[in-house]
Amino acid sequence: MSLKSLLGFSMLLGASVARDVPSNVKNFYNSIKSKGQCSSPLATGFYSEYNNDNSFSYCGDHLKDSKVIYITGKNGQFANMDIDCDGTQGSAADDGRCGKSDDTQSITSFADTVRGYGKGVRDLDANIHPYVVFGNVGSKKGFKEFDPQKHGIEPLSVMAVVCGDKLIYGVWGDENGDDGEKSVVGEASISLATACFGKSMNGNNGHGENDVLYIAFTGKDAVPGKNGAKWAAKNYNEFESSIQGLGDKLVQRIKA
């Protein structure tokens, strides 16, 4: 490959990492922030960090007009980004940063569906697949639960994440369990976190500011399915690029 072609290819891959936030999504972000708090929470009482208050909600304010659910707190806060390293372990894409995690599990919530696609992939790989941890499932007394599927969010559907001045596409790939002390929100795979905030992210070091907007889209049209994403991708760029077209289509429905 010529140097010119190599540079062009590198720029193409980098484009998915540094995508600008479209004006409608930027307006949406700013309007939620200025409003201060969700008016129609689908579930509330969650923590972004253990030492925060439990004012965070899965918000349904725009469930009807934009067909989205997102996470928000009080005073215009969104959520932070803890790091998830669950799923397939030890692939060629693993650069060792997940090794710092003290709560990694070898399976994600929808591993059976991923395996059922028949692409030779047994589960999501946090180092390859940009996935969001969305929803809370547990049986401990007092543990706050939320099931996105009851509100039209489909497993492995495309999600949009606004982090800083970037828009990243991922999939709904895991849920928050009750293995911790409290019911928390705000978590994504290490590949997604790296696209947002760089390689300082590792299994035990995420992004602490509550300024990340996680947007889930209702409906089966948000699901790339068996052939709508490159599930057997070898790296983050390859997979994220494969869902870009669907992501671009979905964000067009967002109204401020």
Side-chain angles (χ1 to χ4, degrees), residues 159-174:
M159 292 186 63
V161 180
V162 180
C163 45
D165 294 324
K166 300 175 184 177
L167 175 66
I168 307 294
Y169 295 130
V171 294
W172 176 31
D174 210 358

Side-chain angles (χ1 to χ4, degrees), residues 210-241:
N210 292 319
D211 57 5
V212 179
L213 175 58
Y214 301 91
I215 306 172
F217 301 90
T218 64
K220 294 187 181 300
D221 60 336
V223 183
K226 177 180 179 179
N227 297 314
K230 197 165 186 178
W231 299 104
K234 300 302 182 184
N235 56 59
Y236 161 83
N237 283 313
E238 194 178 354
F239 181 80
E240 205 265 6
S241 296

Side-chain angles (χ1 to χ4, degrees), residues 128-178:
I128 295 173
H129 302 102
Y131 66 76
V132 177
V133 183
F134 202 73
N136 299 71
V137 180
S139 57
K140 285 184 180 178
K141 183 178 181 180
F143 184 84
K144 191 72 178 180
E145 293 188 281
F146 177 69
D147 182 359
Q149 294 186 68
K150 292 182 177 179
H151 301 276
I153 308 299
E154 298 284 338
L156 300 175
S157 57
V158 168
M159 292 186 63
V161 180
V162 180
C163 45
D165 294 324
K166 300 175 184 177
L167 175 66
I168 307 294
Y169 295 130
V171 294
W172 176 31
D174 210 358
E175 299 162 296
N176 291 287
D178 62 358

